[in-house]
Amino acid sequence: MPTHDVSAPTAIATPDAWPRAVLFDLLTALLNSWTVWNTAAGSETAGRTWRAEYLRRTYGCGAYVSYEQLVREAAAHVGLPASAPEALEAQWATLPAWDGARELLQALRPHCKLAVVTNCSEKLGQQAAASLGIDWDVVVTSEQAGFYKPDPRPYQLALTQLGVSANEAAFIAGSGYDLFGTSKVGMRTFWHNRIGLSLPEGAPAPEREAPTLDTALPWLRTFGNHA
């Protein structure tokens, strides 16, 4: 009597399809800067109010104005003393990484070029990027680019320095405002929306959105398969 092989078929492994480069927002996608702002302000409510005013100023000014100056002006506008921005800068080296941030970077390092695009001064941006312990290929600050995100020029400068085109790169955002800029340069975007912010009015939707970085690696590993 003939026999039949009833074993399950062998799964066909899908080959990895990494992007050539992954670019990151720094201060909200990889680092938990919220807690440091809140501590410097004296409370979570004061910290969020201060940061909202600072963000309004950076997104509104476009061309670079001293990051430290905007932080001081925003503090004064919401009624915080001069000691608040001084405390923020003093605590800058203590910016904690989000859970999974270092692990994601280390997992990507063998496969992709890695870059930062951050709304920050050169001094503070380089310091914060270095705190993650990764050998970055490119770190672009708004001071270096001459413009604040979401103006497309900081993103484009990073792509140019990396030597990759927008369709070969992925962006990991921490703010929904990044989606205005990444869409203009043509980069597909994963929004690490850690604290559950609403998508800004008029912003394009991200390709992926999650409250943690856990699903970023699988998305990046198959990046070229769902272009």
Side-chain angles (χ1 to χ4, degrees), residues 13-26:
T14 303
D16 290 344
W18 302 98
R20 286 189 61 202
V22 184
L23 290 69
F24 291 86
D25 169 71
L26 178 61

Side-chain angles (χ1 to χ4, degrees), residues 43-153:
S43 71
E44 181 176 347
T45 299
R48 290 205 177 193
T49 302
W50 175 23
R51 189 160 187 179
E53 176 59 23
Y54 149 77
L55 290 173
R56 186 187 69 78
R57 290 168 183 263
T58 56
Y59 294 136
C61 73
Y64 184 76
V65 175
S66 166
Y67 176 86
E68 291 85 350
Q69 176 184 331
L70 291 182
V71 170
R72 290 193 299 270
E73 289 176 353
H77 183 83
V78 300
L80 289 174
S83 58
E86 291 169 0
L88 178 65
E89 186 166 351
Q91 297 170 33
W92 201 257
T94 70
L95 288 168
W98 290 118
D99 293 344
R102 290 189 174 91
E103 293 81 359
L104 174 61
L105 293 170
Q106 292 297 334
L108 291 173
R109 179 71 279 181
H111 307 289
C112 315
K113 294 181 178 182
L114 300 176
V116 157
V117 186
T118 181
N119 273 356
C120 203
S121 65
E122 188 69 10
K123 174 189 171 183
L124 295 181
Q126 293 287 349
Q127 183 180 356
S131 73
L132 285 154
I134 196 75
D135 182 19
W136 296 103
D137 294 286
V138 167
V139 175
V140 168
T141 64
S142 50
E143 181 176 8
Q144 180 190 156
F147 291 86
Y148 280 103
K149 300 183 299 177
D151 187 287
R153 279 167 279 203

